[in-house]
Amino acid sequence: MRELLLNKCRPGRPRAAFTLVELLTVVAIIAILASILIPVVGQVRKKAQQADSTSRLRSLGSAALLYASEHDGSWPRSTHAYSREEPQWWLALAPYLGSDVSLASDPRVQDLLNGVLRDPLDLEETVAGQSNRFSYGLNVHLQLGELDDYPGKPQRWHKVYSVPFPASTVMFASNRLETSDHFMAHDWATTADAEHDLDPRLDDRASFVYCDGHVEWLAAAETFNPGNGVNHWNPSLAGAK
């Protein structure tokens, strides 16, 4: 016992400390790993946001098609053409997006606009610090009326079945105009007009859901370039190659 106590009292051998070279080596390895992992994490996050954004826009397109199937084939209306009987599309589609909001005066309408209808890649803010109300806009060609002036007048595309090329006709797209819920695409004359209204949220590409329900990420010129005969907005011209 005495020997055991003496051994416990004796100072042990000093622990070996890290040398400066070893510490620098560890720091260098951590820096290398960080330089590899940080871009990878950023890319994974960006891919996840893109997937979420694509899913929300696809849901919006599906909701519009479901709405049309229950309303004699009619597209939902934007503020360009809505009436008391036909509320704006973001209210009309609420039941198909899991919300029971039906009036613009409902205090929960902001939750609908900024939540369900909010693009996760849309980070812009409007005046007064409020979030952008409309991440997406409806193609106004789908609801033009007698008072509108546009090429092809008086043809109408108010119904799902009246759109001749649904797979190449835009329904909704990512919107740069915070206070508008639609695109006045019938007024566009050049690609620059489309670029002014569309919001490229993934590099130089905006998101589009077409009248058949599929989603694409495209540059503005890939959907509207009159000089090259490209017009995915006018339903009569959308089939041109």
Side-chain angles (χ1 to χ4, degrees):
M1 178 66 72
R2 181 171 178 275
E3 184 180 351
L4 180 60
L5 290 172
L6 288 172
N7 287 336
K8 289 182 69 175
C9 293
R10 289 172 185 165
R13 295 179 59 186
R15 297 180 59 187
F18 287 111
T19 66
L20 180 59
V21 173
E22 289 172 329
L23 287 173
L24 291 176
T25 301
V26 172
V27 170
I29 292 173
I30 293 174
I32 292 171
L33 290 175
S35 67
I36 295 173
L37 291 176
I38 290 175
V40 171
V41 171
Q43 291 174 3
V44 170
R45 182 180 300 166
K46 191 172 184 179
K47 286 290 185 182
Q49 288 178 324
Q50 181 185 0
D52 188 9
S53 177
T54 299
S55 176
R56 292 197 192 192
L57 188 53
R58 184 179 291 114
S59 296
L60 186 59
S62 297
L65 291 172
L66 285 171
Y67 171 90
S69 71
E70 297 182 1
H71 292 80
D72 193 30
S74 297
W75 296 109
R77 316 299 282 175
S78 73
T79 51
H80 179 81
Y82 78 100
S83 65
R84 292 182 181 274
E85 294 73 29
E86 298 174 308
Q88 301 98 310
W89 63 260
W90 43 276
L91 284 174
L93 299 186
Y96 306 92
L97 294 168
S99 172
D100 59 356
V101 171
S102 60
L103 297 172
S105 58
D106 190 315
R108 298 170 299 164
V109 75
Q110 204 63 38
D111 295 332
L112 171 68
L113 292 170
N114 292 339
V116 179
L117 298 176
R118 183 79 178 160
D119 186 346
L121 293 177
D122 184 3
L123 304 177
E124 296 181 10
E125 292 186 351
T126 61
V127 293
Q130 295 184 352
S131 296
N132 182 348
R133 293 188 67 196
F134 301 109
S135 284
Y136 311 105
L138 181 66
N139 179 5
V140 81
H141 274 102
L142 303 178
Q143 51 198 244
L144 293 174
E146 284 71 16
L147 300 180
D148 295 296
D149 187 17
Y150 57 94
K153 185 177 180 176
Q155 189 167 353
R156 299 285 182 269
W157 303 281
H158 291 180
K159 306 283 188 179
V160 169
Y161 51 76
S162 66
V163 176
F165 308 104
S168 52
T169 302
V170 171
M171 185 196 311
F172 286 97
S174 53
N175 188 9
R176 193 195 299 269
L177 306 177
E178 296 92 345
T179 57
S180 178
D181 68 347
H182 60 280
F183 292 94
M184 299 290 282
H186 66 303
D187 286 336
W188 293 348
T190 67
T191 299
D193 294 330
E195 291 173 339
H196 177 271
D197 292 353
L198 289 165
D199 194 1
R201 296 176 185 151
L202 189 67
D203 300 324
D204 64 342
R205 294 174 292 163
S207 56
F208 303 83
V209 61
Y210 284 78
C211 289
D212 67 343
H214 84 278
V215 175
E216 293 191 41
W217 289 82
L218 302 168
E222 295 179 87
T223 69
F224 189 79
N225 190 334
N228 291 338
V230 176
N231 190 332
H232 290 192
W233 297 81
N234 185 318
S236 294
L237 304 177
K241 300 297 183 182

